[in-house]
């Protein structure tokens, strides 16, 4: 597809996005995504450039096996790189990890050139023995966390990097590394520093590694390295399991943008463009419970209006055209709004919400509210959904039921 046709697709799909302050919503339901109320993010409309074509071609080359896709799919929707995972989510990830570890990855991964380079951390378990750096930074979605492995040099090293942002800078913790066998790397931390964009020098990290003795030492086993070199599973000496990727799957990139709150509109545009072969077909309003994690919401007079218009909490899509908006308010108090939807065009539904109530335990206090709007499904799969709903507002939902 030519660049001009991609630009046209971008304009057709997003020409109704209002020029508003782009921010995430502080929902009364439980959301682990950080919020930035009061901060203003200007939405800049842009064209999909030729780089989108190159990225699509690059992603098409990043092939994952069925077992690898199963692990990646189980990670979709987990926040804080595992920090806020539910018991069921942890069970699903653990099962997918065990399947891969039992399969045939790259033999003797520490001897392979595929282990070399920068890896992005996408999931980790967090036992109580985790390091201070892991406890402090790893579970924060606003930061990107990487691990660099360079073994085939005169100075073999393993480095952990916390990137705060392109504007602020990063923290890099380095360790001298030794290959013990085909799977295990021995390491000893010896230096760390903050590289801050606004300072012309590095700021040493206040950890006296030389005085820590054995506490500064450890090992890392690579239990699975994919044939493509894009997925790695490692287990550390403190009982921690790590899942890392060199190139992340498009849904992961979109959710990363949502988590950080940076360039979400741009990430949505690029995601839909890259998935145009899927999204150009019929997009159904799939059944299930969908939790809103981002919205380009415009401010309104009251939270109850937001809740009634689907701008907060979760949506429960039922069979036979039933839909419910559900918001956890406080201490067992919920707001519920029931309604119906009916298909009225390609990927478009007429939604009528007319049965509101404040629910406290088994009791309900009726709320007289009626709202009608069109809901367009821009993209949907079994994990993530992008829609345009009330007042042409864009939404990103993740599926939270099984």
């Amino acid at each position: 597809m030519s660049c001009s046709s991609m630009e046209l697709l971008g304009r057709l799909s997003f020409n109704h996005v209002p020029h508003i302050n782009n921010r995430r919503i502080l929902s009364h339901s439980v959301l682990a995504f950080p919020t930035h109320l009061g901060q203003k993010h200007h939405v800049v409309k842009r064209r999909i450039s030729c780089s989108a074509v190159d990225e699509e071609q690059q992603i098409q080359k990043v092939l994952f096996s069925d077992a690898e896709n199963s692990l990646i799919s189980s990670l979709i929707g987990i926040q804080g790189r595992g920090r806020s995972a539910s018991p069921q989510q942890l069970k699903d990830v653990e099962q997918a990890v065990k399947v891969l570890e039992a399969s045939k990855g790259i033999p003797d991964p520490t001897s392979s050139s595929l282990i070399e380079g920068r890896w992005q951390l996408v999931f980790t378990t967090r036992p109580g023995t985790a390091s201070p750096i892991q406890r402090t930074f790893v579970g924060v979605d606003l930061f990107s966390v990487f691990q660099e492995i360079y073994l085939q040099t005169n100075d073999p090293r393993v480095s952990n990097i916390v990137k705060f942002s392109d504007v602020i800078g990063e923290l890099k913790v380095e360790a001298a590394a030794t290959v013990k066998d085909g799977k295990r790397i021995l390491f000893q931390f010896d230096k760390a520093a903050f590289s801050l964009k606004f300072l012309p020098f590095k700021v040493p990290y206040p950890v006296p590694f030389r005085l820590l003795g054995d506490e500064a030492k450890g090992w890392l086993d690579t239990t699975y390295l994919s044939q493509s070199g894009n997925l790695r599973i490692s287990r550390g000496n403190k009982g921690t399991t790590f899942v890392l990727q060199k190139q992340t799957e498009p849904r992961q990139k979109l959710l990363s943008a949502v988590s950080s709150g940076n360039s979400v509109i741009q990430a949505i545009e690029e995601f839909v463009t890259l998935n145009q072969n899927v999204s150009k077909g019929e997009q159904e309003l799939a059944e299930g419970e969908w939790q809103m994690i981002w919205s380009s919401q415009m401010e309104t007079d009251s939270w109850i209006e937001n809740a009634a218009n689907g701008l907060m909490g979760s949506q429960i899509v039922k069979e036979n055209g039933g839909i419910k908006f559900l918001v956890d308010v406080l201490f067992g108090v919920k707001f519920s709004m029931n309604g119906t939807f009916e298909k009225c065009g390609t990927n478009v539904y007429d939604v009528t919400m007319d049965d509101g109530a404040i629910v406290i335990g088994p009791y309900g206090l009726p709320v007289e509210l009626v709202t009608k709007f069109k809901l367009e499904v821009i993209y949907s799969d079994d994990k993530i959904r992008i829609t345009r709903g009330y007042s042409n507002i864009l939404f990103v939902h993740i599926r939270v039921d099984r």
Side-chain angles (χ1 to χ4, degrees):
M1 176 175 285
S2 67
C3 288
S4 59
S5 62
M6 281 198 170
E7 292 170 358
L8 177 61
L9 174 64
R11 291 196 295 270
L12 289 176
S13 296
F14 294 92
N15 59 359
H16 295 298
V17 178
H19 293 272
I20 59 178
N21 293 318
N22 172 17
R23 62 182 180 86
R24 280 165 293 167
I25 309 307
L26 178 60
S27 172
H28 289 273
S29 59
V30 178
L31 273 178
F33 286 99
T35 55
H36 298 280
L37 296 179
Q39 294 185 9
K40 302 298 182 181
H41 302 275
H42 298 287
V43 177
V44 180
K45 296 189 73 174
R46 61 184 289 279
R47 290 185 174 184
I48 304 294
S49 66
C50 289
S51 62
V53 180
D54 298 333
E55 186 177 359
E56 180 179 18
Q57 292 173 345
Q58 184 180 19
I59 288 176
Q60 287 175 345
K61 295 178 183 178
V62 183
L63 300 178
F64 296 99
S65 67
D66 290 342
E68 290 167 356
N69 277 322
S70 179
L71 173 58
I72 292 171
S73 182
S74 70
L75 296 173
I76 297 296
I78 295 181
Q79 300 140 24
R81 281 174 281 270
R83 185 174 190 174
S84 301
S86 68
Q88 184 59 54
Q89 286 174 321
L90 289 175
K91 183 178 179 180
D92 292 343
V93 174
E94 181 181 1
Q95 178 61 32
V97 165
K98 287 181 177 179
V99 169
L100 284 174
E101 288 179 331
S103 67
K104 292 183 179 179
I106 294 292
D108 298 328
T110 57
S111 301
S112 172
S113 61
L114 292 176
I115 201 173
E116 304 271 311
R118 173 174 282 209
W119 295 83
Q120 182 164 5
L121 180 67
V122 293
F123 175 85
T124 177
T125 55
R126 297 179 58 81
T129 56
S131 68
I133 291 176
Q134 184 175 339
R135 290 197 300 268
T136 304
F137 298 116
V138 169
V140 181
D141 279 319
L142 284 173
F143 307 145
S144 298
V145 181
F146 302 92
Q147 184 175 81
E148 289 182 345
I149 296 180
Y150 293 103
L151 303 176
Q152 300 176 9
T153 68
N154 294 329
D155 182 24
R157 289 202 159 261
V158 173
S159 302
N160 296 329
I161 300 165
V162 179
K163 184 176 181 180
F164 304 112
S165 73
D166 291 331
V167 176
I168 297 176
E170 66 183 31
L171 166 64
K172 186 173 185 178
V173 183
E174 299 186 48
T178 303
V179 175
K180 181 179 180 180
D181 54 38
K183 288 189 175 182
R184 179 162 294 186
I185 300 171
L186 306 177
F187 62 83
Q188 181 170 356
F189 290 111
D190 55 9
K191 59 182 177 179
F194 291 92
S195 297
L196 304 176
K197 298 292 185 179
F198 50 85
L199 292 177
F201 53 86
K202 293 183 178 181
V203 179
Y205 186 73
V207 175
F209 291 114
R210 293 180 180 178
L211 301 180
L212 292 179
D214 290 341
E215 288 298 316
K217 300 178 181 179
W219 50 261
L220 186 70
D221 283 348
T222 295
T223 56
Y224 180 80
L225 178 62
S226 66
Q227 297 289 340
S228 64
N230 285 311
L231 180 65
R232 174 164 64 92
I233 300 170
S234 291
R235 295 183 183 267
N237 58 290
K238 293 186 177 182
T240 308
T241 301
F242 305 93
V243 178
L244 307 99
Q245 291 178 254
K246 280 187 178 176
Q247 295 184 13
T248 54
E249 186 245 16
R251 291 180 299 178
Q252 293 173 303
K253 289 186 176 181
L254 172 58
L255 293 180
S256 178
V258 170
S259 297
S260 65
N262 295 324
S263 306
V264 181
I265 294 289
Q266 175 181 337
I268 292 174
E269 289 181 348
E270 292 178 350
F271 176 79
V272 173
T273 301
L274 292 173
N275 288 278
Q276 59 188 300
N277 291 333
V278 175
S279 59
K280 72 179 181 180
E282 284 292 310
Q283 297 288 295
E284 298 295 331
L285 192 58
E287 296 177 22
E289 182 173 357
W290 297 85
Q291 177 71 51
M292 194 198 75
I293 59 172
W294 181 86
S295 167
S296 60
Q297 180 198 24
M298 296 176 64
E299 294 183 2
T300 57
D301 294 333
S302 68
W303 72 266
I304 201 167
E305 290 182 6
N306 290 334
N309 292 320
L311 306 181
M312 305 169 66
S314 61
Q315 294 181 7
I316 302 173
V317 181
K318 306 174 183 178
E319 60 181 355
N320 301 324
I323 187 169
K324 174 189 283 189
F325 299 159
L326 188 63
V327 178
D328 291 327
V329 182
L330 186 66
F331 301 127
V333 179
K334 300 177 183 289
F335 175 80
S336 174
M337 190 75 170
N338 286 283
T340 59
F341 64 91
E342 183 178 356
K343 197 162 190 177
C344 61
T346 303
N347 306 332
V348 180
Y349 298 81
D350 281 325
V351 178
T352 301
M353 308 299 295
D354 55 9
D355 182 14
I358 301 293
V359 180
I360 306 175
Y363 305 102
L365 176 65
V367 177
E368 295 295 331
L369 283 173
V370 177
T371 181
K372 297 181 179 182
F373 55 88
K374 291 190 181 297
L375 179 65
E376 178 187 2
V377 182
I378 298 172
Y379 175 86
S380 182
D381 59 31
D382 63 342
K383 284 285 187 175
I384 189 171
R385 190 183 74 189
I386 302 170
T387 58
R388 183 184 291 110
Y390 173 80
S391 194
N392 284 325
I393 294 171
L394 282 175
F395 298 87
V396 178
H397 287 81
I398 56 172
R399 189 164 186 169
V400 293
D401 67 340
R402 289 184 60 82

